[in-house]
Amino acid sequence: YKNGIAFGSAGDLQGVFATGTQGPAKQGFIFALDLNSIRETSMSMPTPLTIENFPEGRRFQPHGIFYSNATNRLYAVSHPFQGEGSYVEVFSVMQPSASSSSSSSSAASSLRLVHVDSILPTPENTVINDVVEGRSADEIFVTRHHYQHNYCP
């Protein structure tokens, strides 16, 4: 991201693929990690980011993510549950203004995500693996997951 902050994703993909819509899969999340803290203290904990305006009732199971410096957007491939396919969830990365940020909180914990859009790729790309932004925020490219017949029960 910027200034030594890295983004990561975590989701219960095994739970989703094994149990589908009725399963006990935990909600996934995007986290930020302050790499500067690692250098200073040899210890840094990932910080789950607050997500605003995410569609109510939809699971978020992020997989591949991409951050665009050009548009300040974070794209996340999400596999909400078996049978629905995959979405690309689009977020704006928001950081507090310099006057409202506290010096005691880390740069990573002050970030938040605002949901901008959900993109459902075409049927032939319903199980996607990764995403990147194209020449603008109106263009994305995805990679398709190689589906194995015995992968999902």
Side-chain angles (χ1 to χ4, degrees):
Y1 171 65
K2 299 175 185 172
N3 302 322
I5 305 296
F7 291 118
S9 65
D12 186 6
L13 297 177
Q14 183 176 356
V16 169
F17 290 133
T19 61
T21 61
Q22 305 305 314
K26 299 173 187 166
Q27 189 78 330
F29 58 93
I30 301 294
F31 62 87
L33 183 63
D34 186 345
L35 301 176
N36 296 311
S37 294
I38 293 172
R39 279 180 272 192
E40 294 167 8
T41 64
S42 299
M43 177 76 174
S44 182
M45 297 299 294
T47 303
L49 299 180
T50 299
I51 297 176
E52 300 173 7
N53 301 331
F54 194 76
E56 195 169 323
R58 182 183 304 153
R59 283 192 198 181
F60 182 53
Q61 297 297 333
H63 186 88
I65 62 172
F66 175 81
Y67 173 75
S68 169
N69 284 308
T71 61
N72 200 39
R73 287 186 168 184
L74 184 119
Y75 298 82
V77 171
S78 179
H79 306 287
F81 50 82
Q82 193 175 4
E84 188 176 342
S86 304
Y87 285 86
V88 174
E89 302 294 357
V90 184
F91 304 94
S92 286
V93 178
M94 308 299 287
Q95 57 186 15
S97 64
S99 62
S100 66
S101 63
S102 164
S103 59
S104 63
S105 65
S106 79
S109 64
S110 65
L111 296 173
R112 61 189 170 82
L113 301 175
V114 177
H115 187 261
V116 174
D117 200 4
S118 296
I119 302 166
L120 183 62
T122 58
E124 62 269 10
N125 289 326
T126 55
V127 181
I128 57 179
N129 197 49
D130 214 345
V131 59
V132 295
E133 184 179 83
R135 293 172 291 225
S136 72
D138 297 326
E139 180 180 56
I140 63 169
F141 296 94
V142 296
T143 59
R144 190 169 80 179
H145 186 274
H146 176 70
Y147 183 78
Q148 296 175 354
H149 218 4
N150 61 355
Y151 180 68
C152 298

